[in-house]
PDB file of all heavy atoms in Angstrom:
ATOM      1  N   PRO F1285     -21.546   7.572 -12.983  1.00  0.00           N
ATOM      2  CA  PRO F1285     -22.594   8.591 -12.770  1.00  0.00           C
ATOM      3  C   PRO F1285     -23.672   8.133 -11.729  1.00  0.00           C
ATOM      4  O   PRO F1285     -24.327   9.000 -11.127  1.00  0.00           O
ATOM      5  CB  PRO F1285     -23.189   8.709 -14.169  1.00  0.00           C
ATOM      6  CG  PRO F1285     -22.785   7.502 -14.883  1.00  0.00           C
ATOM      7  CD  PRO F1285     -21.453   7.134 -14.335  1.00  0.00           C
ATOM      8  N   SER F1286     -23.832   6.826 -11.598  1.00  0.00           N
ATOM      9  CA  SER F1286     -24.951   6.325 -10.793  1.00  0.00           C
ATOM     10  C   SER F1286     -24.595   6.245  -9.294  1.00  0.00           C
ATOM     11  O   SER F1286     -25.388   5.815  -8.479  1.00  0.00           O
ATOM     12  CB  SER F1286     -25.382   4.947 -11.301  1.00  0.00           C
ATOM     13  OG  SER F1286     -24.364   4.038 -11.304  1.00  0.00           O
ATOM     14  N   VAL F1287     -23.366   6.563  -8.922  1.00  0.00           N
ATOM     15  CA  VAL F1287     -22.962   6.399  -7.477  1.00  0.00           C
ATOM     16  C   VAL F1287     -23.714   7.417  -6.690  1.00  0.00           C
ATOM     17  O   VAL F1287     -23.937   8.532  -7.040  1.00  0.00           O
ATOM     18  CB  VAL F1287     -21.419   6.579  -7.373  1.00  0.00           C
ATOM     19  CG1 VAL F1287     -20.977   8.018  -7.441  1.00  0.00           C
ATOM     20  CG2 VAL F1287     -20.980   5.943  -6.059  1.00  0.00           C
ATOM     21  N   LYS F1288     -24.112   6.944  -5.511  1.00  0.00           N
ATOM     22  CA  LYS F1288     -24.926   7.787  -4.583  1.00  0.00           C
ATOM     23  C   LYS F1288     -24.125   8.037  -3.262  1.00  0.00           C
ATOM     24  O   LYS F1288     -23.035   7.550  -3.086  1.00  0.00           O
ATOM     25  CB  LYS F1288     -26.268   7.044  -4.238  1.00  0.00           C
ATOM     26  CG  LYS F1288     -27.126   6.734  -5.394  1.00  0.00           C
ATOM     27  CD  LYS F1288     -27.727   7.923  -5.993  1.00  0.00           C
ATOM     28  CE  LYS F1288     -28.754   7.505  -7.034  1.00  0.00           C
ATOM     29  NZ  LYS F1288     -28.257   6.621  -8.166  1.00  0.00           N
ATOM     30  N   ARG F1289     -24.679   8.819  -2.431  1.00  0.00           N
ATOM     31  CA  ARG F1289     -24.098   9.124  -1.078  1.00  0.00           C
ATOM     32  C   ARG F1289     -25.141   8.753  -0.055  1.00  0.00           C
ATOM     33  O   ARG F1289     -26.311   9.009  -0.217  1.00  0.00           O
ATOM     34  CB  ARG F1289     -23.704  10.586  -1.015  1.00  0.00           C
ATOM     35  CG  ARG F1289     -22.711  11.061  -2.079  1.00  0.00           C
ATOM     36  CD  ARG F1289     -21.295  10.548  -1.776  1.00  0.00           C
ATOM     37  NE  ARG F1289     -20.344  11.144  -2.698  1.00  0.00           N
ATOM     38  CZ  ARG F1289     -19.119  11.537  -2.392  1.00  0.00           C
ATOM     39  NH1 ARG F1289     -18.729  11.311  -1.098  1.00  0.00           N
ATOM     40  NH2 ARG F1289     -18.282  12.025  -3.200  1.00  0.00           N
ATOM     41  N   ASP F1290     -24.615   8.293   1.105  1.00  0.00           N
ATOM     42  CA  ASP F1290     -25.553   8.047   2.182  1.00  0.00           C
ATOM     43  C   ASP F1290     -25.626   9.352   3.033  1.00  0.00           C
ATOM     44  O   ASP F1290     -25.022  10.392   2.662  1.00  0.00           O
ATOM     45  CB  ASP F1290     -25.166   6.834   3.014  1.00  0.00           C
ATOM     46  CG  ASP F1290     -23.870   7.087   3.816  1.00  0.00           C
ATOM     47  OD1 ASP F1290     -23.374   8.185   3.809  1.00  0.00           O
ATOM     48  OD2 ASP F1290     -23.295   6.136   4.443  1.00  0.00           O
ATOM     49  N   LYS F1291     -26.352   9.300   4.178  1.00  0.00           N
ATOM     50  CA  LYS F1291     -26.525  10.566   4.877  1.00  0.00           C
ATOM     51  C   LYS F1291     -25.174  11.069   5.468  1.00  0.00           C
ATOM     52  O   LYS F1291     -25.152  12.200   5.825  1.00  0.00           O
ATOM     53  CB  LYS F1291     -27.598  10.304   6.048  1.00  0.00           C
ATOM     54  CG  LYS F1291     -27.159   9.177   7.079  1.00  0.00           C
ATOM     55  CD  LYS F1291     -28.222   9.094   8.113  1.00  0.00           C
ATOM     56  CE  LYS F1291     -28.177   7.769   8.906  1.00  0.00           C
ATOM     57  NZ  LYS F1291     -26.825   7.242   9.259  1.00  0.00           N
ATOM     58  N   ASN F1292     -24.165  10.252   5.539  1.00  0.00           N
ATOM     59  CA  ASN F1292     -22.891  10.724   6.064  1.00  0.00           C
ATOM     60  C   ASN F1292     -21.945  11.024   4.901  1.00  0.00           C
ATOM     61  O   ASN F1292     -20.782  11.140   5.146  1.00  0.00           O
ATOM     62  CB  ASN F1292     -22.227   9.617   6.922  1.00  0.00           C
ATOM     63  CG  ASN F1292     -23.062   9.366   8.164  1.00  0.00           C
ATOM     64  OD1 ASN F1292     -23.594  10.286   8.779  1.00  0.00           O
ATOM     65  ND2 ASN F1292     -23.161   8.105   8.562  1.00  0.00           N
ATOM     66  N   ASN F1293     -22.506  11.193   3.711  1.00  0.00           N
ATOM     67  CA  ASN F1293     -21.717  11.579   2.556  1.00  0.00           C
ATOM     68  C   ASN F1293     -20.807  10.498   2.023  1.00  0.00           C
ATOM     69  O   ASN F1293     -19.915  10.751   1.241  1.00  0.00           O
ATOM     70  CB  ASN F1293     -20.958  12.905   2.821  1.00  0.00           C
ATOM     71  CG  ASN F1293     -20.581  13.577   1.488  1.00  0.00           C
ATOM     72  OD1 ASN F1293     -21.363  13.484   0.555  1.00  0.00           O
ATOM     73  ND2 ASN F1293     -19.489  14.312   1.546  1.00  0.00           N
ATOM     74  N   ASN F1294     -20.986   9.258   2.479  1.00  0.00           N
ATOM     75  CA  ASN F1294     -20.178   8.125   2.015  1.00  0.00           C
ATOM     76  C   ASN F1294     -20.689   7.698   0.663  1.00  0.00           C
ATOM     77  O   ASN F1294     -21.899   7.545   0.433  1.00  0.00           O
ATOM     78  CB  ASN F1294     -20.221   6.972   2.969  1.00  0.00           C
ATOM     79  CG  ASN F1294     -19.597   7.411   4.277  1.00  0.00           C
ATOM     80  OD1 ASN F1294     -18.752   8.283   4.381  1.00  0.00           O
ATOM     81  ND2 ASN F1294     -19.999   6.735   5.400  1.00  0.00           N
ATOM     82  N   ARG F1295     -19.706   7.317  -0.212  1.00  0.00           N
ATOM     83  CA  ARG F1295     -20.097   6.825  -1.510  1.00  0.00           C
ATOM     84  C   ARG F1295     -20.776   5.468  -1.386  1.00  0.00           C
ATOM     85  O   ARG F1295     -20.299   4.634  -0.619  1.00  0.00           O
ATOM     86  CB  ARG F1295     -18.850   6.646  -2.400  1.00  0.00           C
ATOM     87  CG  ARG F1295     -18.215   7.966  -2.816  1.00  0.00           C
ATOM     88  CD  ARG F1295     -16.878   7.720  -3.485  1.00  0.00           C
ATOM     89  NE  ARG F1295     -16.186   8.954  -3.747  1.00  0.00           N
ATOM     90  CZ  ARG F1295     -15.467   9.673  -2.811  1.00  0.00           C
ATOM     91  NH1 ARG F1295     -15.470   9.199  -1.587  1.00  0.00           N
ATOM     92  NH2 ARG F1295     -14.810  10.736  -3.056  1.00  0.00           N
ATOM     93  N   LEU F1296     -21.851   5.286  -2.170  1.00  0.00           N
ATOM     94  CA  LEU F1296     -22.604   4.049  -2.055  1.00  0.00           C
ATOM     95  C   LEU F1296     -22.814   3.511  -3.461  1.00  0.00           C
ATOM     96  O   LEU F1296     -23.329   4.178  -4.325  1.00  0.00           O
ATOM     97  CB  LEU F1296     -23.959   4.318  -1.411  1.00  0.00           C
ATOM     98  CG  LEU F1296     -24.447   3.413  -0.265  1.00  0.00           C
ATOM     99  CD1 LEU F1296     -23.271   3.066   0.624  1.00  0.00           C
ATOM    100  CD2 LEU F1296     -25.534   4.094   0.518  1.00  0.00           C
ATOM    101  N   PHE F1297     -22.373   2.200  -3.692  1.00  0.00           N
ATOM    102  CA  PHE F1297     -22.455   1.597  -5.025  1.00  0.00           C
ATOM    103  C   PHE F1297     -23.567   0.524  -5.021  1.00  0.00           C
ATOM    104  O   PHE F1297     -23.561  -0.385  -4.216  1.00  0.00           O
ATOM    105  CB  PHE F1297     -21.168   0.971  -5.394  1.00  0.00           C
ATOM    106  CG  PHE F1297     -20.024   1.939  -5.489  1.00  0.00           C
ATOM    107  CD1 PHE F1297     -19.404   2.425  -4.362  1.00  0.00           C
ATOM    108  CD2 PHE F1297     -19.518   2.358  -6.725  1.00  0.00           C
ATOM    109  CE1 PHE F1297     -18.323   3.335  -4.458  1.00  0.00           C
ATOM    110  CE2 PHE F1297     -18.477   3.225  -6.833  1.00  0.00           C
ATOM    111  CZ  PHE F1297     -17.938   3.728  -5.685  1.00  0.00           C
ATOM    112  N   ASP F1298     -24.460   0.601  -6.071  1.00  0.00           N
ATOM    113  CA  ASP F1298     -25.380  -0.481  -6.346  1.00  0.00           C
ATOM    114  C   ASP F1298     -24.824  -1.313  -7.539  1.00  0.00           C
ATOM    115  O   ASP F1298     -23.762  -0.970  -8.057  1.00  0.00           O
ATOM    116  CB  ASP F1298     -26.795   0.046  -6.542  1.00  0.00           C
ATOM    117  CG  ASP F1298     -26.821   1.035  -7.709  1.00  0.00           C
ATOM    118  OD1 ASP F1298     -25.806   1.172  -8.373  1.00  0.00           O
ATOM    119  OD2 ASP F1298     -27.840   1.719  -7.836  1.00  0.00           O
ATOM    120  N   GLU F1299     -25.614  -2.229  -7.967  1.00  0.00           N
ATOM    121  CA  GLU F1299     -25.134  -3.051  -9.077  1.00  0.00           C
ATOM    122  C   GLU F1299     -24.880  -2.215 -10.318  1.00  0.00           C
ATOM    123  O   GLU F1299     -23.889  -2.514 -11.037  1.00  0.00           O
ATOM    124  CB  GLU F1299     -26.282  -4.103  -9.395  1.00  0.00           C
ATOM    125  CG  GLU F1299     -26.426  -5.223  -8.429  1.00  0.00           C
ATOM    126  CD  GLU F1299     -25.129  -6.042  -8.241  1.00  0.00           C
ATOM    127  OE1 GLU F1299     -24.446  -6.232  -9.196  1.00  0.00           O
ATOM    128  OE2 GLU F1299     -24.938  -6.402  -7.092  1.00  0.00           O
ATOM    129  N   GLU F1300     -25.759  -1.239 -10.599  1.00  0.00           N
ATOM    130  CA  GLU F1300     -25.515  -0.391 -11.735  1.00  0.00           C
ATOM    131  C   GLU F1300     -24.141   0.316 -11.679  1.00  0.00           C
ATOM    132  O   GLU F1300     -23.386   0.292 -12.647  1.00  0.00           O
ATOM    133  CB  GLU F1300     -26.639   0.597 -11.885  1.00  0.00           C
ATOM    134  CG  GLU F1300     -26.608   1.361 -13.182  1.00  0.00           C
ATOM    135  CD  GLU F1300     -27.627   2.517 -13.177  1.00  0.00           C
ATOM    136  OE1 GLU F1300     -28.608   2.374 -12.413  1.00  0.00           O
ATOM    137  OE2 GLU F1300     -27.484   3.399 -13.992  1.00  0.00           O
ATOM    138  N   SER F1301     -23.848   0.854 -10.443  1.00  0.00           N
ATOM    139  CA  SER F1301     -22.608   1.540 -10.338  1.00  0.00           C
ATOM    140  C   SER F1301     -21.421   0.574 -10.538  1.00  0.00           C
ATOM    141  O   SER F1301     -20.421   0.962 -11.135  1.00  0.00           O
ATOM    142  CB  SER F1301     -22.536   2.136  -8.895  1.00  0.00           C
ATOM    143  OG  SER F1301     -23.536   3.058  -8.685  1.00  0.00           O
ATOM    144  N   ILE F1302     -21.555  -0.602 -10.038  1.00  0.00           N
ATOM    145  CA  ILE F1302     -20.453  -1.576 -10.230  1.00  0.00           C
ATOM    146  C   ILE F1302     -20.325  -1.914 -11.708  1.00  0.00           C
ATOM    147  O   ILE F1302     -19.169  -2.048 -12.200  1.00  0.00           O
ATOM    148  CB  ILE F1302     -20.742  -2.857  -9.398  1.00  0.00           C
ATOM    149  CG1 ILE F1302     -20.533  -2.488  -7.882  1.00  0.00           C
ATOM    150  CG2 ILE F1302     -19.799  -3.969  -9.768  1.00  0.00           C
ATOM    151  CD1 ILE F1302     -20.865  -3.581  -6.960  1.00  0.00           C
ATOM    152  N   ASN F1303     -21.343  -2.033 -12.404  1.00  0.00           N
ATOM    153  CA  ASN F1303     -21.285  -2.354 -13.856  1.00  0.00           C
ATOM    154  C   ASN F1303     -20.577  -1.153 -14.567  1.00  0.00           C
ATOM    155  O   ASN F1303     -19.768  -1.417 -15.418  1.00  0.00           O
ATOM    156  CB  ASN F1303     -22.694  -2.480 -14.431  1.00  0.00           C
ATOM    157  CG  ASN F1303     -23.253  -3.853 -14.100  1.00  0.00           C
ATOM    158  OD1 ASN F1303     -22.470  -4.821 -13.743  1.00  0.00           O
ATOM    159  ND2 ASN F1303     -24.514  -4.050 -14.217  1.00  0.00           N
ATOM    160  N   TRP F1304     -20.947   0.070 -14.193  1.00  0.00           N
ATOM    161  CA  TRP F1304     -20.195   1.176 -14.771  1.00  0.00           C
ATOM    162  C   TRP F1304     -18.746   1.053 -14.521  1.00  0.00           C
ATOM    163  O   TRP F1304     -17.891   1.262 -15.390  1.00  0.00           O
ATOM    164  CB  TRP F1304     -20.696   2.517 -14.118  1.00  0.00           C
ATOM    165  CG  TRP F1304     -21.915   3.129 -14.772  1.00  0.00           C
ATOM    166  CD1 TRP F1304     -23.142   3.172 -14.225  1.00  0.00           C
ATOM    167  CD2 TRP F1304     -22.025   3.775 -16.003  1.00  0.00           C
ATOM    168  NE1 TRP F1304     -24.026   3.825 -15.091  1.00  0.00           N
ATOM    169  CE2 TRP F1304     -23.329   4.203 -16.151  1.00  0.00           C
ATOM    170  CE3 TRP F1304     -21.107   4.045 -17.045  1.00  0.00           C
ATOM    171  CZ2 TRP F1304     -23.809   4.849 -17.334  1.00  0.00           C
ATOM    172  CZ3 TRP F1304     -21.580   4.735 -18.147  1.00  0.00           C
ATOM    173  CH2 TRP F1304     -22.846   5.128 -18.346  1.00  0.00           C
ATOM    174  N   LEU F1305     -18.415   0.745 -13.283  1.00  0.00           N
ATOM    175  CA  LEU F1305     -17.047   0.772 -12.885  1.00  0.00           C
ATOM    176  C   LEU F1305     -16.226  -0.353 -13.587  1.00  0.00           C
ATOM    177  O   LEU F1305     -15.118  -0.159 -13.956  1.00  0.00           O
ATOM    178  CB  LEU F1305     -16.901   0.547 -11.332  1.00  0.00           C
ATOM    179  CG  LEU F1305     -15.620   1.044 -10.642  1.00  0.00           C
ATOM    180  CD1 LEU F1305     -15.220   2.394 -11.122  1.00  0.00           C
ATOM    181  CD2 LEU F1305     -15.871   0.971  -9.130  1.00  0.00           C
ATOM    182  N   ILE F1306     -16.933  -1.458 -13.837  1.00  0.00           N
ATOM    183  CA  ILE F1306     -16.250  -2.561 -14.570  1.00  0.00           C
ATOM    184  C   ILE F1306     -15.972  -2.049 -15.999  1.00  0.00           C
ATOM    185  O   ILE F1306     -14.844  -2.236 -16.484  1.00  0.00           O
ATOM    186  CB  ILE F1306     -17.225  -3.809 -14.660  1.00  0.00           C
ATOM    187  CG1 ILE F1306     -17.307  -4.455 -13.254  1.00  0.00           C
ATOM    188  CG2 ILE F1306     -16.696  -4.813 -15.621  1.00  0.00           C
ATOM    189  CD1 ILE F1306     -18.374  -5.483 -13.131  1.00  0.00           C
ATOM    190  N   GLY F1307     -16.947  -1.392 -16.607  1.00  0.00           N
ATOM    191  CA  GLY F1307     -16.661  -0.853 -17.919  1.00  0.00           C
ATOM    192  C   GLY F1307     -15.520   0.143 -17.991  1.00  0.00           C
ATOM    193  O   GLY F1307     -14.672   0.126 -18.821  1.00  0.00           O
ATOM    194  N   VAL F1308     -15.521   1.021 -16.990  1.00  0.00           N
ATOM    195  CA  VAL F1308     -14.500   2.012 -16.868  1.00  0.00           C
ATOM    196  C   VAL F1308     -13.094   1.356 -16.747  1.00  0.00           C
ATOM    197  O   VAL F1308     -12.123   1.716 -17.428  1.00  0.00           O
ATOM    198  CB  VAL F1308     -14.684   2.924 -15.652  1.00  0.00           C
ATOM    199  CG1 VAL F1308     -13.478   3.809 -15.378  1.00  0.00           C
ATOM    200  CG2 VAL F1308     -15.892   3.875 -15.973  1.00  0.00           C
ATOM    201  N   LYS F1309     -13.086   0.359 -15.868  1.00  0.00           N
ATOM    202  CA  LYS F1309     -11.790  -0.385 -15.697  1.00  0.00           C
ATOM    203  C   LYS F1309     -11.300  -1.042 -16.933  1.00  0.00           C
ATOM    204  O   LYS F1309     -10.124  -0.882 -17.337  1.00  0.00           O
ATOM    205  CB  LYS F1309     -12.078  -1.493 -14.635  1.00  0.00           C
ATOM    206  CG  LYS F1309     -10.857  -2.294 -14.311  1.00  0.00           C
ATOM    207  CD  LYS F1309     -11.206  -3.501 -13.455  1.00  0.00           C
ATOM    208  CE  LYS F1309     -10.074  -4.483 -13.398  1.00  0.00           C
ATOM    209  NZ  LYS F1309     -10.394  -5.736 -12.658  1.00  0.00           N
ATOM    210  N   TYR F1310     -12.137  -1.677 -17.712  1.00  0.00           N
ATOM    211  CA  TYR F1310     -11.748  -2.288 -18.949  1.00  0.00           C
ATOM    212  C   TYR F1310     -11.306  -1.215 -20.019  1.00  0.00           C
ATOM    213  O   TYR F1310     -10.370  -1.401 -20.716  1.00  0.00           O
ATOM    214  CB  TYR F1310     -12.824  -3.141 -19.541  1.00  0.00           C
ATOM    215  CG  TYR F1310     -12.932  -4.520 -18.891  1.00  0.00           C
ATOM    216  CD1 TYR F1310     -14.127  -5.069 -18.508  1.00  0.00           C
ATOM    217  CD2 TYR F1310     -11.726  -5.267 -18.634  1.00  0.00           C
ATOM    218  CE1 TYR F1310     -14.189  -6.278 -17.923  1.00  0.00           C
ATOM    219  CE2 TYR F1310     -11.838  -6.489 -17.962  1.00  0.00           C
ATOM    220  CZ  TYR F1310     -13.052  -7.049 -17.714  1.00  0.00           C
ATOM    221  OH  TYR F1310     -13.064  -8.279 -17.066  1.00  0.00           O
ATOM    222  N   LEU F1311     -12.061  -0.177 -20.083  1.00  0.00           N
ATOM    223  CA  LEU F1311     -11.701   0.902 -21.049  1.00  0.00           C
ATOM    224  C   LEU F1311     -10.314   1.568 -20.699  1.00  0.00           C
ATOM    225  O   LEU F1311      -9.515   1.731 -21.570  1.00  0.00           O
ATOM    226  CB  LEU F1311     -12.782   2.043 -21.064  1.00  0.00           C
ATOM    227  CG  LEU F1311     -14.093   1.593 -21.776  1.00  0.00           C
ATOM    228  CD1 LEU F1311     -15.044   2.753 -21.611  1.00  0.00           C
ATOM    229  CD2 LEU F1311     -13.933   1.290 -23.211  1.00  0.00           C
ATOM    230  N   LYS F1312     -10.134   1.716 -19.406  1.00  0.00           N
ATOM    231  CA  LYS F1312      -8.837   2.238 -18.989  1.00  0.00           C
ATOM    232  C   LYS F1312      -7.682   1.214 -19.353  1.00  0.00           C
ATOM    233  O   LYS F1312      -6.671   1.627 -19.812  1.00  0.00           O
ATOM    234  CB  LYS F1312      -8.870   2.466 -17.481  1.00  0.00           C
ATOM    235  CG  LYS F1312      -7.585   2.754 -16.900  1.00  0.00           C
ATOM    236  CD  LYS F1312      -7.244   3.988 -16.443  1.00  0.00           C
ATOM    237  CE  LYS F1312      -5.739   4.222 -16.565  1.00  0.00           C
ATOM    238  NZ  LYS F1312      -5.016   2.896 -16.433  1.00  0.00           N
ATOM    239  N   GLN F1313      -7.977  -0.077 -19.120  1.00  0.00           N
ATOM    240  CA  GLN F1313      -6.973  -1.082 -19.485  1.00  0.00           C
ATOM    241  C   GLN F1313      -6.655  -1.097 -20.951  1.00  0.00           C
ATOM    242  O   GLN F1313      -5.555  -1.486 -21.374  1.00  0.00           O
ATOM    243  CB  GLN F1313      -7.361  -2.431 -19.037  1.00  0.00           C
ATOM    244  CG  GLN F1313      -7.299  -2.691 -17.497  1.00  0.00           C
ATOM    245  CD  GLN F1313      -7.783  -4.049 -17.094  1.00  0.00           C
ATOM    246  OE1 GLN F1313      -8.336  -4.789 -17.904  1.00  0.00           O
ATOM    247  NE2 GLN F1313      -7.555  -4.339 -15.833  1.00  0.00           N
ATOM    248  N   CYS F1314      -7.664  -0.657 -21.801  1.00  0.00           N
ATOM    249  CA  CYS F1314      -7.405  -0.522 -23.221  1.00  0.00           C
ATOM    250  C   CYS F1314      -6.542   0.658 -23.580  1.00  0.00           C
ATOM    251  O   CYS F1314      -6.212   0.837 -24.699  1.00  0.00           O
ATOM    252  CB  CYS F1314      -8.726  -0.452 -23.917  1.00  0.00           C
ATOM    253  SG  CYS F1314      -9.585  -2.064 -24.110  1.00  0.00           S
TER     254      CYS F1314
END
Side-chain angles (χ1 to χ4, degrees):
Chain F
S1286 57
V1287 75
K1288 302 290 188 304
R1289 301 286 187 142
D1290 69 8
K1291 59 179 163 38
N1292 297 321
N1293 203 29
N1294 296 335
R1295 293 168 188 80
L1296 229 39
F1297 296 78
D1298 57 10
E1299 288 301 325
E1300 187 186 340
S1301 298
I1302 289 176
N1303 283 340
W1304 274 109
L1305 203 44
I1306 292 170
V1308 167
K1309 180 188 166 184
Y1310 280 136
L1311 288 175
K1312 168 109 208 332
Q1313 287 179 349
C1314 283

